[in-house]
Coordinates of all heavy atoms in Angstrom, one line a residue:
Chain A
N899 N 26.7 -2.1 -17.2 CA 28.0 -1.9 -16.5 C 28.8 -3.2 -16.4 O 30.0 -3.3 -16.7 CB 27.8 -1.2 -15.2 CG 28.9 -0.3 -14.8 OD1 30.1 -0.6 -15.0 ND2 28.6 0.9 -14.4
I900 N 28.1 -4.2 -15.9 CA 28.7 -5.5 -15.7 C 29.1 -6.0 -17.1 O 30.2 -6.6 -17.2 CB 27.7 -6.5 -15.0 CG1 27.5 -6.1 -13.6 CG2 28.2 -7.9 -15.1 CD1 26.4 -6.8 -12.9
G901 N 28.2 -5.9 -18.1 CA 28.5 -6.3 -19.4 C 29.8 -5.7 -19.9 O 30.7 -6.4 -20.5
E902 N 30.0 -4.4 -19.7 CA 31.2 -3.8 -20.2 C 32.4 -4.3 -19.5 O 33.5 -4.5 -20.1 CB 31.1 -2.2 -19.9 CG 30.5 -1.5 -21.1 CD 30.1 -0.1 -20.7 OE1 30.9 0.5 -19.9 OE2 29.1 0.4 -21.1
K903 N 32.3 -4.5 -18.2 CA 33.5 -5.0 -17.4 C 33.9 -6.4 -17.8 O 35.1 -6.7 -17.8 CB 33.2 -4.9 -15.9 CG 33.3 -3.5 -15.4 CD 33.4 -3.4 -13.9 CE 33.5 -1.9 -13.6 NZ 32.5 -1.4 -12.7
L904 N 32.9 -7.2 -18.2 CA 33.2 -8.5 -18.6 C 33.4 -8.6 -20.1 O 33.7 -9.7 -20.6 CB 32.0 -9.5 -18.2 CG 31.7 -9.6 -16.7 CD1 30.5 -10.5 -16.5 CD2 32.9 -10.2 -15.9
H905 N 33.4 -7.5 -20.7 CA 33.6 -7.4 -22.2 C 32.6 -8.3 -22.9 O 32.9 -9.0 -23.9 CB 35.0 -7.8 -22.6 CG 36.0 -6.9 -22.0 ND1 36.2 -5.6 -22.4 CD2 36.9 -7.1 -21.0 CE1 37.1 -5.0 -21.6 NE2 37.5 -5.9 -20.8
L906 N 31.3 -8.4 -22.4 CA 30.3 -9.1 -23.0 C 29.4 -8.0 -23.7 O 28.5 -7.5 -23.1 CB 29.4 -9.9 -22.0 CG 30.1 -11.1 -21.5 CD1 29.2 -11.7 -20.3 CD2 30.2 -12.2 -22.6
D907 N 29.7 -7.7 -24.9 CA 28.9 -6.6 -25.6 C 27.5 -6.9 -25.7 O 26.6 -6.0 -25.6 CB 29.5 -6.4 -27.0 CG 30.8 -5.6 -26.9 OD1 31.1 -5.2 -25.8 OD2 31.5 -5.5 -28.0
S908 N 27.1 -8.2 -25.9 CA 25.7 -8.5 -26.1 C 24.9 -8.2 -24.8 O 23.8 -7.7 -24.8 CB 25.5 -10.0 -26.4 OG 26.3 -10.8 -25.6
L909 N 25.6 -8.4 -23.6 CA 24.9 -8.1 -22.4 C 24.8 -6.6 -22.1 O 23.8 -6.1 -21.7 CB 25.7 -8.8 -21.2 CG 25.0 -8.7 -19.8 CD1 23.7 -9.5 -19.8 CD2 25.9 -9.2 -18.8
A910 N 25.9 -5.9 -22.5 CA 26.0 -4.5 -22.3 C 25.0 -3.7 -23.1 O 24.5 -2.7 -22.8 CB 27.4 -4.0 -22.5
Q911 N 24.7 -4.3 -24.3 CA 23.9 -3.5 -25.3 C 22.5 -3.8 -25.3 O 21.7 -3.4 -26.2 CB 24.6 -3.6 -26.7 CG 25.8 -2.6 -26.8 CD 26.7 -3.1 -27.9 OE1 26.4 -3.9 -28.7 NE2 27.9 -2.4 -27.9
I912 N 22.0 -4.7 -24.4 CA 20.6 -5.0 -24.4 C 19.8 -3.7 -24.1 O 20.1 -3.0 -23.2 CB 20.3 -6.0 -23.3 CG1 21.0 -7.3 -23.6 CG2 18.8 -6.2 -23.2 CD1 20.8 -8.3 -22.4
S913 N 18.8 -3.5 -25.0 CA 17.9 -2.4 -24.8 C 16.7 -2.9 -24.1 O 15.8 -3.4 -24.7 CB 17.6 -1.7 -26.1 OG 16.4 -1.0 -26.0
W914 N 16.7 -2.8 -22.8 CA 15.6 -3.4 -22.0 C 14.3 -2.8 -22.2 O 13.2 -3.5 -22.2 CB 15.9 -3.4 -20.5 CG 17.0 -4.4 -20.1 CD1 18.3 -4.1 -20.1 CD2 16.8 -5.7 -19.8 NE1 19.0 -5.3 -19.7 CE2 18.1 -6.2 -19.5 CE3 15.7 -6.6 -19.6 CZ2 18.3 -7.6 -19.1 CZ3 15.9 -7.9 -19.2 CH2 17.2 -8.4 -19.0
F915 N 14.3 -1.5 -22.5 CA 13.0 -0.8 -22.6 C 12.7 -0.4 -24.0 O 11.6 0.2 -24.2 CB 12.9 0.3 -21.6 CG 13.1 -0.1 -20.1 CD1 14.2 0.2 -19.4 CD2 12.2 -1.0 -19.6 CE1 14.4 -0.2 -18.1 CE2 12.3 -1.5 -18.3 CZ 13.5 -1.1 -17.6
G916 N 13.6 -0.6 -24.9 CA 13.3 -0.2 -26.3 C 12.9 -1.4 -27.1 O 12.4 -1.2 -28.2
N917 N 13.1 -2.6 -26.6 CA 12.8 -3.8 -27.4 C 11.6 -4.5 -26.8 O 11.5 -4.7 -25.6 CB 14.1 -4.6 -27.3 CG 13.9 -6.0 -27.9 OD1 12.9 -6.7 -27.7 ND2 14.9 -6.4 -28.6
T918 N 10.6 -4.8 -27.6 CA 9.4 -5.4 -27.2 C 9.6 -6.6 -26.3 O 9.1 -6.7 -25.2 CB 8.5 -5.8 -28.4 OG1 8.5 -4.8 -29.3 CG2 7.1 -6.2 -28.0
N919 N 10.4 -7.6 -26.8 CA 10.6 -8.8 -26.0 C 11.3 -8.6 -24.7 O 10.9 -9.2 -23.7 CB 11.3 -9.9 -26.8 CG 10.5 -10.4 -28.0 OD1 9.3 -10.4 -27.9 ND2 11.1 -10.8 -29.0
M920 N 12.3 -7.7 -24.7 CA 13.1 -7.5 -23.5 C 12.2 -6.8 -22.5 O 12.3 -7.0 -21.3 CB 14.3 -6.7 -23.8 CG 15.4 -7.5 -24.6 SD 15.5 -9.2 -24.1 CE 16.7 -9.1 -22.8
A921 N 11.4 -5.8 -23.0 CA 10.5 -5.1 -22.0 C 9.5 -6.1 -21.4 O 9.2 -6.0 -20.2 CB 9.8 -4.0 -22.8
M922 N 9.0 -7.0 -22.2 CA 8.1 -8.0 -21.6 C 8.8 -8.8 -20.5 O 8.3 -9.1 -19.5 CB 7.5 -8.9 -22.7 CG 6.6 -8.1 -23.6 SD 5.3 -9.0 -24.4 CE 5.8 -9.9 -25.6

Side-chain angles (χ1 to χ4, degrees):
Chain A
N899 213 314
I900 291 172
E902 272 168 36
K903 284 198 178 125
L904 298 175
H905 300 290
L906 286 170
D907 283 352
S908 49
L909 186 66
Q911 278 159 11
I912 295 173
S913 158
W914 286 91
F915 301 114
N917 174 315
T918 313
N919 288 334
M920 293 319 273
M922 294 207 284

